[in-house]
Amino acid sequence: MTAPLARPVPHTAYSDDLYTWAMEQAALLRAGDLSALDRENLAEEIESVGRSEFNSLVGAWRVLLLHMLKWDHQPDRRSRSWALSIRAQRDAAADVLTDNPGLKGRLDEALERAYRGARILAAQETGLPLARFPERCPYGRDEMATRPFPVDPDEIGGTP
């Protein structure tokens, strides 16, 4: 008679080694040993994944809004780099939303957080007073996604 295979027994504390703890938790899940799971920390980590996706959207919109603000408040300094950054951040935000349709209920919150940071960064990077930038986001989500920003330096009057 053969002895039954032993299931992995988690022995790594969450606070000691996150990587090893995560691998052990994954092995327990795959083995169906739900009673051995560190449920509280596992739930926290799963929630953290969701927060990370939300923060990815906020981050993409923050950079997008920063360059839109700079574009509008420093027309003589417009550059191909700003226009391309706007395009790249639009794509990044669209990808996050495509991959995470559940975020659609939090778009207003994401926009508010993104703009709050973009406004401060715009003042910092342009040297203009913070009061020069509206307290509330002057752009709607549709404008953020579709407003044209020329890339050709001859079209924008700036440098490449």
Side-chain angles (χ1 to χ4, degrees):
M1 181 168 174
T2 59
L5 294 174
R7 291 206 173 142
V9 177
H11 62 277
T12 304
Y14 175 81
S15 60
D16 290 343
D17 179 352
L18 180 60
Y19 174 80
T20 302
W21 171 88
M23 295 301 107
E24 290 172 355
Q25 296 302 302
L28 290 168
L29 273 172
R30 287 187 178 95
D33 193 356
L34 304 181
S35 64
L37 291 172
D38 179 358
R39 289 187 306 253
E40 189 58 37
N41 285 317
L42 194 55
E44 283 292 321
E45 286 303 313
I46 292 169
E47 289 170 345
S48 174
V49 171
R51 284 190 303 273
S52 177
E53 292 303 308
F54 177 78
N55 289 335
S56 292
L57 176 62
V58 170
W61 277 355
R62 182 180 300 118
V63 176
L64 167 65
L65 290 166
L66 165 65
H67 285 99
M68 288 178 74
L69 287 168
K70 289 167 61 172
W71 189 276
D72 289 345
H73 286 84
Q74 291 188 311
D76 57 323
R77 301 195 68 188
R78 289 176 180 166
S79 70
R80 182 174 194 269
S81 173
W82 290 355
L84 290 173
S85 178
I86 289 168
R87 285 187 184 182
Q89 297 308 313
R90 281 176 171 169
D91 287 348
D95 289 346
V96 171
L97 289 171
T98 297
D99 293 345
N100 301 281
L103 287 174
K104 288 190 172 118
R106 297 186 67 192
L107 295 180
D108 289 340
E109 178 187 358
L111 180 56
E112 184 178 318
R113 287 185 185 195
Y115 183 72
R116 185 176 59 227
R119 180 176 180 252
I120 293 167
L121 287 171
Q124 180 182 359
E125 290 187 18
T126 63
L128 297 171
L130 184 62
R132 205 50 207 275
F133 302 97
E135 285 190 35
R136 300 194 61 85
C137 185
Y139 313 111
R141 289 193 308 264
D142 190 52
E143 181 179 6
M144 289 168 53
T146 62
R147 178 176 159 192
F149 290 91
V151 174
D152 184 345
D154 293 333
E155 294 177 43
I156 60 176
T159 58

